[in-house]
mmCIF file of all heavy atoms in Angstrom:
data_model
loop_
_atom_site.group_PDB
_atom_site.id
_atom_site.type_symbol
_atom_site.label_atom_id
_atom_site.label_comp_id
_atom_site.label_asym_id
_atom_site.label_seq_id
_atom_site.Cartn_x
_atom_site.Cartn_y
_atom_site.Cartn_z
ATOM 1 N N PRO A 788 -14.466 15.714 -19.577
ATOM 2 C CA PRO A 788 -14.142 16.899 -20.377
ATOM 3 C C PRO A 788 -12.787 16.778 -21.019
ATOM 4 O O PRO A 788 -11.901 16.089 -20.521
ATOM 5 C CB PRO A 788 -14.160 18.025 -19.340
ATOM 6 C CG PRO A 788 -13.799 17.355 -18.062
ATOM 7 C CD PRO A 788 -14.397 15.989 -18.150
ATOM 8 N N THR A 789 -12.632 17.445 -22.149
ATOM 9 C CA THR A 789 -11.334 17.500 -22.794
ATOM 10 C C THR A 789 -10.695 18.828 -22.439
ATOM 11 O O THR A 789 -11.112 19.868 -22.908
ATOM 12 C CB THR A 789 -11.488 17.376 -24.316
ATOM 13 O OG1 THR A 789 -12.168 16.149 -24.590
ATOM 14 C CG2 THR A 789 -10.140 17.369 -24.997
ATOM 15 N N ILE A 790 -9.686 18.780 -21.599
ATOM 16 C CA ILE A 790 -9.005 19.981 -21.154
ATOM 17 C C ILE A 790 -7.721 20.146 -21.952
ATOM 18 O O ILE A 790 -7.026 19.181 -22.250
ATOM 19 C CB ILE A 790 -8.682 19.894 -19.651
ATOM 20 C CG1 ILE A 790 -9.989 19.641 -18.866
ATOM 21 C CG2 ILE A 790 -8.014 21.147 -19.156
ATOM 22 C CD1 ILE A 790 -11.011 20.728 -19.028
ATOM 23 N N SER A 791 -7.414 21.343 -22.299
ATOM 24 C CA SER A 791 -6.207 21.596 -23.079
ATOM 25 C C SER A 791 -4.982 21.058 -22.365
ATOM 26 O O SER A 791 -4.800 21.239 -21.175
ATOM 27 C CB SER A 791 -6.034 23.099 -23.289
ATOM 28 O OG SER A 791 -4.775 23.366 -23.865
ATOM 29 N N SER A 792 -4.144 20.378 -23.110
ATOM 30 C CA SER A 792 -2.910 19.844 -22.526
ATOM 31 C C SER A 792 -1.746 20.791 -22.715
ATOM 32 O O SER A 792 -0.602 20.428 -22.476
ATOM 33 C CB SER A 792 -2.581 18.491 -23.184
ATOM 34 O OG SER A 792 -2.438 18.668 -24.581
ATOM 35 N N LYS A 793 -2.004 21.995 -23.155
ATOM 36 C CA LYS A 793 -0.920 22.954 -23.400
ATOM 37 C C LYS A 793 -0.077 23.162 -22.168
ATOM 38 O O LYS A 793 1.140 23.157 -22.208
ATOM 39 C CB LYS A 793 -1.519 24.277 -23.865
ATOM 40 C CG LYS A 793 -0.497 25.403 -24.004
ATOM 41 C CD LYS A 793 -1.174 26.710 -24.356
ATOM 42 C CE LYS A 793 -0.166 27.850 -24.389
ATOM 43 N NZ LYS A 793 -0.791 29.133 -24.663
ATOM 44 N N TYR A 794 -0.764 23.322 -21.040
ATOM 45 C CA TYR A 794 -0.022 23.609 -19.812
ATOM 46 C C TYR A 794 0.926 22.486 -19.453
ATOM 47 O O TYR A 794 2.112 22.677 -19.275
ATOM 48 C CB TYR A 794 -1.014 23.823 -18.660
ATOM 49 C CG TYR A 794 -0.345 23.827 -17.321
ATOM 50 C CD1 TYR A 794 0.355 24.932 -16.887
ATOM 51 C CD2 TYR A 794 -0.397 22.701 -16.508
ATOM 52 C CE1 TYR A 794 0.984 24.924 -15.660
ATOM 53 C CE2 TYR A 794 0.227 22.699 -15.283
ATOM 54 C CZ TYR A 794 0.913 23.806 -14.860
ATOM 55 O OH TYR A 794 1.537 23.800 -13.654
ATOM 56 N N SER A 795 0.366 21.254 -19.371
ATOM 57 C CA SER A 795 1.196 20.159 -18.899
ATOM 58 C C SER A 795 2.273 19.777 -19.908
ATOM 59 O O SER A 795 3.388 19.467 -19.529
ATOM 60 C CB SER A 795 0.327 18.938 -18.591
ATOM 61 O OG SER A 795 -0.360 18.555 -19.762
ATOM 62 N N LYS A 796 1.934 19.804 -21.190
ATOM 63 C CA LYS A 796 2.906 19.351 -22.175
ATOM 64 C C LYS A 796 4.002 20.377 -22.397
ATOM 65 O O LYS A 796 5.176 20.035 -22.499
ATOM 66 C CB LYS A 796 2.192 19.034 -23.492
ATOM 67 C CG LYS A 796 1.252 17.823 -23.393
ATOM 68 C CD LYS A 796 0.605 17.541 -24.716
ATOM 69 C CE LYS A 796 -0.315 16.319 -24.614
ATOM 70 N NZ LYS A 796 -0.996 16.034 -25.853
ATOM 71 N N GLU A 797 3.633 21.644 -22.481
ATOM 72 C CA GLU A 797 4.643 22.657 -22.766
ATOM 73 C C GLU A 797 5.495 22.966 -21.547
ATOM 74 O O GLU A 797 6.679 23.251 -21.659
ATOM 75 C CB GLU A 797 3.965 23.926 -23.273
ATOM 76 C CG GLU A 797 3.325 23.739 -24.646
ATOM 77 C CD GLU A 797 2.764 25.044 -25.172
ATOM 78 O OE1 GLU A 797 2.867 26.067 -24.474
ATOM 79 O OE2 GLU A 797 2.237 25.014 -26.279
ATOM 80 N N ASP A 842 0.614 17.597 -12.209
ATOM 81 C CA ASP A 842 0.740 18.724 -13.116
ATOM 82 C C ASP A 842 0.079 18.413 -14.452
ATOM 83 O O ASP A 842 0.249 19.149 -15.420
ATOM 84 C CB ASP A 842 2.222 19.058 -13.330
ATOM 85 C CG ASP A 842 2.845 19.646 -12.089
ATOM 86 O OD1 ASP A 842 2.169 20.413 -11.393
ATOM 87 O OD2 ASP A 842 3.999 19.308 -11.808
ATOM 88 N N ASP A 843 -0.667 17.310 -14.518
ATOM 89 C CA ASP A 843 -1.315 16.911 -15.750
ATOM 90 C C ASP A 843 -2.554 17.759 -15.976
ATOM 91 O O ASP A 843 -3.466 17.800 -15.150
ATOM 92 C CB ASP A 843 -1.685 15.429 -15.675
ATOM 93 C CG ASP A 843 -2.475 15.001 -16.895
ATOM 94 O OD1 ASP A 843 -1.915 15.034 -18.014
ATOM 95 O OD2 ASP A 843 -3.650 14.667 -16.731
ATOM 96 N N GLY A 844 -2.591 18.463 -17.115
ATOM 97 C CA GLY A 844 -3.692 19.372 -17.391
ATOM 98 C C GLY A 844 -5.033 18.691 -17.463
ATOM 99 O O GLY A 844 -6.057 19.272 -17.099
ATOM 100 N N TYR A 845 -5.065 17.435 -17.927
ATOM 101 C CA TYR A 845 -6.335 16.722 -18.014
ATOM 102 C C TYR A 845 -6.925 16.509 -16.630
ATOM 103 O O TYR A 845 -8.084 16.818 -16.365
ATOM 104 C CB TYR A 845 -6.119 15.366 -18.692
ATOM 105 C CG TYR A 845 -5.802 15.455 -20.158
ATOM 106 C CD1 TYR A 845 -4.497 15.659 -20.593
ATOM 107 C CD2 TYR A 845 -6.796 15.334 -21.112
ATOM 108 C CE1 TYR A 845 -4.199 15.736 -21.938
ATOM 109 C CE2 TYR A 845 -6.505 15.410 -22.462
ATOM 110 C CZ TYR A 845 -5.211 15.614 -22.873
ATOM 111 O OH TYR A 845 -4.928 15.686 -24.196
ATOM 112 N N SER A 846 -6.127 15.963 -15.720
ATOM 113 C CA SER A 846 -6.624 15.689 -14.369
ATOM 114 C C SER A 846 -7.034 16.970 -13.667
ATOM 115 O O SER A 846 -8.076 17.031 -13.008
ATOM 116 C CB SER A 846 -5.537 14.979 -13.548
ATOM 117 O OG SER A 846 -5.287 13.700 -14.056
ATOM 118 N N LEU A 847 -6.231 18.015 -13.810
ATOM 119 C CA LEU A 847 -6.567 19.284 -13.164
ATOM 120 C C LEU A 847 -7.878 19.828 -13.723
ATOM 121 O O LEU A 847 -8.701 20.393 -12.984
ATOM 122 C CB LEU A 847 -5.437 20.285 -13.389
ATOM 123 C CG LEU A 847 -4.079 19.908 -12.751
ATOM 124 C CD1 LEU A 847 -3.023 20.927 -13.137
ATOM 125 C CD2 LEU A 847 -4.191 19.812 -11.241
ATOM 126 N N GLY A 848 -8.090 19.667 -15.025
ATOM 127 C CA GLY A 848 -9.337 20.118 -15.617
ATOM 128 C C GLY A 848 -10.539 19.364 -15.094
ATOM 129 O O GLY A 848 -11.582 19.948 -14.805
ATOM 130 N N ASN A 881 -17.012 22.911 -19.050
ATOM 131 C CA ASN A 881 -15.781 22.291 -19.539
ATOM 132 C C ASN A 881 -15.035 23.198 -20.496
ATOM 133 O O ASN A 881 -13.813 23.325 -20.441
ATOM 134 C CB ASN A 881 -16.111 20.959 -20.211
ATOM 135 C CG ASN A 881 -16.425 19.870 -19.219
ATOM 136 O OD1 ASN A 881 -15.543 19.141 -18.825
ATOM 137 N ND2 ASN A 881 -17.676 19.769 -18.806
ATOM 138 N N GLN A 882 -15.781 23.830 -21.386
ATOM 139 C CA GLN A 882 -15.143 24.751 -22.326
ATOM 140 C C GLN A 882 -14.533 25.939 -21.588
ATOM 141 O O GLN A 882 -13.441 26.402 -21.930
ATOM 142 C CB GLN A 882 -16.178 25.232 -23.348
ATOM 143 C CG GLN A 882 -16.664 24.139 -24.289
ATOM 144 C CD GLN A 882 -17.805 24.625 -25.173
ATOM 145 O OE1 GLN A 882 -18.636 25.394 -24.738
ATOM 146 N NE2 GLN A 882 -17.831 24.149 -26.402
ATOM 147 N N VAL A 884 -13.418 26.027 -18.440
ATOM 148 C CA VAL A 884 -12.209 25.579 -17.746
ATOM 149 C C VAL A 884 -11.070 25.409 -18.731
ATOM 150 O O VAL A 884 -9.915 25.755 -18.455
ATOM 151 C CB VAL A 884 -12.485 24.268 -16.979
ATOM 152 C CG1 VAL A 884 -11.197 23.661 -16.450
ATOM 153 C CG2 VAL A 884 -13.460 24.523 -15.826
ATOM 154 N N GLN A 885 -11.385 24.887 -19.922
ATOM 155 C CA GLN A 885 -10.356 24.714 -20.943
ATOM 156 C C GLN A 885 -9.733 26.054 -21.323
ATOM 157 O O GLN A 885 -8.509 26.197 -21.372
ATOM 158 C CB GLN A 885 -10.956 24.050 -22.170
ATOM 159 C CG GLN A 885 -9.992 23.939 -23.350
ATOM 160 C CD GLN A 885 -10.652 23.378 -24.584
ATOM 161 O OE1 GLN A 885 -11.753 22.861 -24.503
ATOM 162 N NE2 GLN A 885 -9.994 23.480 -25.708
ATOM 163 N N GLU A 886 -10.583 27.026 -21.571
ATOM 164 C CA GLU A 886 -10.057 28.323 -22.014
ATOM 165 C C GLU A 886 -9.310 29.034 -20.893
ATOM 166 O O GLU A 886 -8.304 29.704 -21.137
ATOM 167 C CB GLU A 886 -11.201 29.181 -22.554
ATOM 168 C CG GLU A 886 -11.845 28.599 -23.805
ATOM 169 C CD GLU A 886 -12.599 29.649 -24.614
ATOM 170 O OE1 GLU A 886 -12.297 30.843 -24.468
ATOM 171 O OE2 GLU A 886 -13.490 29.253 -25.398
ATOM 172 N N VAL A 887 -9.783 28.912 -19.667
ATOM 173 C CA VAL A 887 -9.058 29.515 -18.537
ATOM 174 C C VAL A 887 -7.693 28.860 -18.376
ATOM 175 O O VAL A 887 -6.676 29.538 -18.143
ATOM 176 C CB VAL A 887 -9.879 29.386 -17.240
ATOM 177 C CG1 VAL A 887 -9.023 29.760 -16.028
ATOM 178 C CG2 VAL A 887 -11.103 30.282 -17.299
ATOM 179 N N SER A 888 -7.639 27.535 -18.519
ATOM 180 C CA SER A 888 -6.356 26.839 -18.358
ATOM 181 C C SER A 888 -5.336 27.323 -19.383
ATOM 182 O O SER A 888 -4.134 27.366 -19.099
ATOM 183 C CB SER A 888 -6.560 25.327 -18.488
ATOM 184 O OG SER A 888 -6.860 24.961 -19.822
ATOM 185 N N GLU A 889 -5.814 27.686 -20.568
ATOM 186 C CA GLU A 889 -4.896 28.131 -21.618
ATOM 187 C C GLU A 889 -4.369 29.543 -21.373
ATOM 188 O O GLU A 889 -3.407 29.952 -22.009
ATOM 189 C CB GLU A 889 -5.609 28.051 -22.965
ATOM 190 C CG GLU A 889 -5.886 26.619 -23.400
ATOM 191 C CD GLU A 889 -6.723 26.537 -24.670
ATOM 192 O OE1 GLU A 889 -7.237 27.590 -25.099
ATOM 193 O OE2 GLU A 889 -6.838 25.433 -25.212
ATOM 194 N N THR A 890 -4.997 30.286 -20.448
ATOM 195 C CA THR A 890 -4.485 31.619 -20.141
ATOM 196 C C THR A 890 -3.325 31.574 -19.159
ATOM 197 O O THR A 890 -2.620 32.569 -18.996
ATOM 198 C CB THR A 890 -5.596 32.503 -19.548
ATOM 199 O OG1 THR A 890 -5.992 31.979 -18.265
ATOM 200 C CG2 THR A 890 -6.796 32.556 -20.463
ATOM 201 N N TRP A 899 -1.255 26.962 -13.705
ATOM 202 C CA TRP A 899 -2.531 26.233 -13.653
ATOM 203 C C TRP A 899 -2.557 25.235 -12.508
ATOM 204 O O TRP A 899 -3.584 25.029 -11.861
ATOM 205 C CB TRP A 899 -2.732 25.545 -14.994
ATOM 206 C CG TRP A 899 -3.969 24.723 -15.156
ATOM 207 C CD1 TRP A 899 -4.033 23.442 -15.580
ATOM 208 C CD2 TRP A 899 -5.333 25.139 -14.960
ATOM 209 N NE1 TRP A 899 -5.339 23.012 -15.646
ATOM 210 C CE2 TRP A 899 -6.163 24.046 -15.268
ATOM 211 C CE3 TRP A 899 -5.924 26.330 -14.539
ATOM 212 C CZ2 TRP A 899 -7.549 24.091 -15.176
ATOM 213 C CZ3 TRP A 899 -7.317 26.388 -14.444
ATOM 214 C CH2 TRP A 899 -8.110 25.281 -14.755
#
Side-chain angles (χ1 to χ4, degrees):
T789 303
I790 304 299
S791 171
S792 59
K793 174 185 176 183
Y794 168 77
S795 59
K796 293 181 179 178
E797 292 185 0
D842 290 323
D843 175 65
Y845 290 85
S846 293
L847 296 176
N881 285 268
Q882 292 173 324
V884 170
Q885 175 185 347
E886 295 201 22
V887 169
S888 71
E889 292 174 350
T890 66
W899 179 232

